Each structure stands twice: as C-alpha cells, then as structure tokens.
Amino acid sequence: MIPATFDYVRPASVDDALRALADAGEDAKVLAGGQSLMPLLRLRLAYPDALIDLGGLDALREIRDEGDSLLIGAMATHHQVMRDPLVREHVPLIVQATETVADPAVRHRGTFGGSLAHADPAGDLPAVALALDAVLLVRSARGEREIPASEFFVDWMTSAMEPDELLVGVRVPKLGAGWGVHYEKFHRTAQAWAIVGVACAVHRDGDGVEEARVALTNMGPAPVRASAVETAVRGGPASRDAFRTAAAQAAAGTEPPTDLHGSSEYRAHLATVLTARALAAAAG
C-alpha cells in the first residue's frame, strides 16, 4: 500500500530537529532506523503530516563512559550497541537482548533509542531498560529532562514524551562485580516478537542472593517489573528450587494479552517458567 502524503524534513542538527518538531505539532513522526515506522506508514496505520528524518544526526550515535554509568546515544544502531566494548563490559544484558532482535539486516538499521521510544510492550529493550534502572534523556525547544524507565513506558506504544520532545540518549548504570545477567525469550521463530521475555540481573553474595531485578516483556500494555519475584529471592539462597518457588509469582499484577500467539493464561505460565530459567542463568 502507498503511504499517505506527508512533508519530509531531514535536519542537520538536533536543534533543527527540535524546531521541526515544534513547528509540526502533534501530527509529526520521527524517523530513526525506520524498522517499526515504515511498515506502519505502508499500511496507513500511521499517517503523519510531517516526517522528521534523524539519519544525519551522527552526534546522537555516540556511546560514552560517564563514570558510574554509560550514555548511549539514541541513534546508535543495534549492531553498534552489540559490539561496543563499553556496553559488553558494563551492561551485557543489553547485548544479550539485542542479539535476539529480529535479524542482522534489521539490527544494522534499527536504533537503540527508536526501540525504546516506540514503546512496544513486545519489544525486547524496554524491559531491559526497566531492569537496569535506565534513565531516558529527552529534549525539546523548552529544555531537557530525564525520565526514569519506570515512568517512561505509559501504555501500549505510548511513552511519557510530549509531542515536541525527542529522545536523545539513555543513561544506563553500570553493573559492577558480583552481578550476573540473562535475557530469556520465547518466540515462535527467530525473527519474531517475544511471546514472553524476561530480563534478569542477579547480584550474589556468596551462596545467597543480595539483590535481583526482573522485568517482563509482553506481559501487559507496558513492560513491568516482577516485584514479587525480586522480593522473594532477595536474601535467599541462589538455588534452582528457590528460584522456581519465587518465579511462581512472576505473573502477579500483570495483564498478559490474549492473541493469535497465545492466551493470557499461556503467557502467565511462560512467565513463570522463563523467570525461573533467567534467575538460574543470571546467578550462574
């Protein structure tokens, strides 16, 4: 299908992009890698008056060390993020999850920030950002603000950003010594969206668990932290039996959808099984 008519803008700087967003109002769409937006345009599920192409903003592709955290530019591609030595060393959970995103062609075009701004609950990276306590940096002509991942994902494909705001980067706290991570994903084919996914980070203290972070993919209209699981494993033994017991609470407080790929009950069962696996793998 042919997309609806729209104005095309390719800004040369972030300030130019912000001005274009402010001028276009609520009927503008931002094009980063385009791997999610282009299909929506072709099917006329999205029909913006203006399309703002960020492809020329190389300043937003930088990944840099900020001491206790990494700053990942919103336009860094999945391929770039997966292979960056800083990301691999300090936040390997991002690498594990990104390796499961679609296929190499998509990973070369799709962007880290685009995946988060799209706010698809079936996407892999929103849950990872939630588990890592990431902070998303957004900017507009009015200024810049920081939005914790716990507040960024509001509803199905809806974020806390205003229409004139642009995601420019993501600050991710480093995981130090003692942390283990794992991303467990169940999907029908290698390139499909997750039916359910689990992003997990575990900090061990000897044979016990000092802290655990667990976030779920596609278990509601937005990614969700499995708080009951985190509480259940904290201070307990790092054993498979303990993890299975805690994982029984993985679906508590979630709203898993029912669709062609599975019922809500099926997803709740998957969340239990995959959470136990993810905890065990992250704990080593």
Side-chain angles (χ1 to χ4, degrees):
M1 185 179 292
I2 300 173
T5 302
F6 54 80
D7 294 328
Y8 176 79
V9 182
R10 187 177 173 88
S13 68
V14 174
D15 288 339
D16 289 343
L18 296 179
R19 281 192 289 270
L21 270 177
D23 292 343
E26 296 186 6
D27 293 323
K29 285 288 186 183
V30 171
L31 176 66
Q35 301 306 292
S36 297
L37 180 58
M38 296 307 293
L40 297 179
L41 293 175
R42 286 199 301 269
L43 295 172
R44 295 204 178 191
L45 295 175
Y47 33 88
D49 289 341
L51 189 66
I52 301 170
D53 184 355
L54 306 183
L57 304 186
D58 291 339
L60 297 185
R61 302 186 193 278
E62 183 183 7
I63 299 174
R64 66 173 184 263
D65 193 326
E66 292 195 331
D68 292 335
S69 62
L70 298 183
L71 182 63
I72 302 176
M75 286 295 291
T77 65
H78 299 312
H79 177 82
Q80 178 186 348
V81 169
M82 285 167 48
R83 284 159 177 75
D84 187 88
L86 290 173
V87 178
R88 298 184 73 87
E89 178 182 358
H90 298 295
V91 279
L93 182 59
I94 292 177
V95 177
Q96 289 187 18
T98 304
E99 288 174 341
T100 74
V101 172
D103 55 37
V106 170
R107 293 194 290 269
H108 274 78
R109 291 290 303 173
T111 63
F112 184 72
S115 293
L116 297 175
H118 191 51
D120 190 332
D124 301 292
L125 295 179
V128 171
L130 195 60
L132 293 175
D133 292 331
V135 176
L136 293 93
L137 313 180
V138 302
R139 192 182 302 171
S140 71
R142 296 173 282 110
E144 184 171 305
R145 64 188 180 115
E146 301 183 354
I147 309 175
S150 58
E151 300 174 10
F152 186 82
F153 306 103
V154 176
D155 205 338
W156 189 77
M157 292 191 178
T158 304
S159 75
M161 287 196 300
E162 299 295 333
D164 64 338
E165 288 183 320
L166 183 69
L167 178 63
V168 295
V170 183
R171 182 171 291 116
V172 187
K174 294 178 181 178
L175 294 178
W179 282 97
V181 299
H182 187 72
Y183 187 69
E184 188 76 19
K185 176 177 178 178
F186 187 83
H187 48 175
R188 292 172 54 250
T189 61
Q191 300 176 11
W193 298 98
I195 295 178
V196 173
V198 181
C200 183
V202 173
H203 188 272
R204 287 188 60 164
D205 181 12
D207 293 331
V209 175
E210 183 176 333
E211 182 183 352
R213 304 179 194 168
V214 181
L216 305 176
T217 295
N218 213 6
M219 284 294 289
V224 61
R225 284 281 284 264
S227 301
V229 175
E230 295 175 348
T231 300
V233 299
R234 189 181 301 122
S239 69
R240 290 186 182 274
D241 287 342
F243 293 150
R244 290 192 192 100
T245 301
Q249 305 178 65
T254 64
E255 303 174 46
T258 292
D259 56 28
L260 293 174
H261 304 303
S263 66
S264 59
E265 293 81 9
Y266 177 57
R267 283 188 164 87
H269 169 71
L270 279 177
T272 299
V273 174
L274 299 183
T275 298
R277 291 181 185 174
L279 285 167

